[in-house]
Amino acid sequence: MGKIEWAMWANEQALAAGLILLTGGIVGVAGQFRDWEFAAYGVAAGVFVCLLEYPRGRRNKGTSVERTGQYCLTVCVKAFGPVTSNYYVRAALHAAICVPGAFILPTVLGCVCLAIASIIYLAAAIRGERWMPILPKTETRERVGESIKEPPQNPPPRPPAELRRKRPEDLESAAYVNPIPVTANEY
């Protein structure tokens, strides 16, 4: 069995928690709940968590798939250096963010999910994981070999090279010489 990368799970959990916190905050503000200021905080905290967690980190195996349009946010998150790449810091940050939202009903679910993400980030940090950005690969084009310049002459399926019919241009010395020469005026 492979090693579990806890940070990937924590990233998905925190992104979902940010969206839930944002939605709960919007409901709390629009519904004019008592102490709706905590719901307004939930909107701001949800947006912050979503912006922080949207760029997916690179896996250790290197098989990561980036989210659509994450490059801009990846550059922003990478700019903060160890503050955003260290999972101990993320765990503490998410734990601190989730406390004020627990005081109003619409944001409680988002805060519980964010607390769970904080615990998962702590587990990832204890196991030595850290956030690494997924940056675009610089492709190096290999030169086309001399043998590939001509397209294949036979349609697929092609027989192996040793069984293919040889073209007269490829043969330097013919093994069989025609004893009867054909002249142009015989046709």
Side-chain angles (χ1 to χ4, degrees):
M1 296 275 323
K3 179 183 161 191
I4 293 176
E5 292 190 37
W6 292 92
M8 299 303 280
W9 184 29
N11 178 263
E12 297 294 332
Q13 177 73 25
L15 183 61
L19 292 172
I20 294 168
L21 190 61
L22 174 65
T23 305
I26 291 171
V27 168
V29 171
Q32 290 296 311
F33 278 67
R34 185 169 30 111
D35 296 330
W36 63 271
E37 294 84 6
F38 289 113
Y41 167 80
V43 170
V47 168
F48 174 74
V49 169
C50 287
L51 290 176
L52 177 65
E53 295 297 333
Y54 188 73
R56 194 178 272 157
R58 187 172 44 136
R59 295 182 65 188
N60 291 335
K61 290 183 188 178
T63 58
S64 303
V65 178
E66 65 179 320
R67 290 187 174 106
T68 305
Q70 89 169 29
Y71 178 73
C72 180
L73 289 174
T74 300
V75 171
C76 294
V77 170
K78 183 183 173 191
F80 287 100
V83 174
T84 55
S85 65
N86 189 341
Y87 287 144
Y88 284 114
V89 174
R90 281 198 189 191
L93 182 66
H94 290 327
I97 287 174
C98 75
V99 172
F103 294 118
I104 186 169
L105 184 62
T107 59
V108 168
L109 181 62
C111 290
V112 169
C113 292
L114 199 57
I116 292 169
S118 175
I119 292 168
I120 300 169
Y121 268 132
L122 184 61
I126 289 170
R127 286 174 173 74
E129 297 178 30
R130 61 182 291 116
W131 186 81
M132 295 174 289
I134 301 175
L135 297 174
K137 297 177 185 174
T138 56
E139 292 186 26
T140 57
R141 301 285 300 190
E142 295 181 14
R143 291 187 57 214
V144 177
E146 296 297 322
S147 63
I148 303 178
K149 287 188 178 179
E150 289 186 26
Q153 301 297 325
N154 302 349
R158 296 178 189 93
E162 60 272 0
L163 297 178
R164 290 187 199 144
R165 229 179 351 176
K166 304 292 183 200
R167 296 184 317 184
E169 300 92 41
D170 294 340
L171 299 175
E172 291 183 21
S173 63
Y176 175 75
V177 178
N178 189 0
I180 305 172
V182 179
T183 58
N185 53 356
E186 288 181 6
Y187 289 109

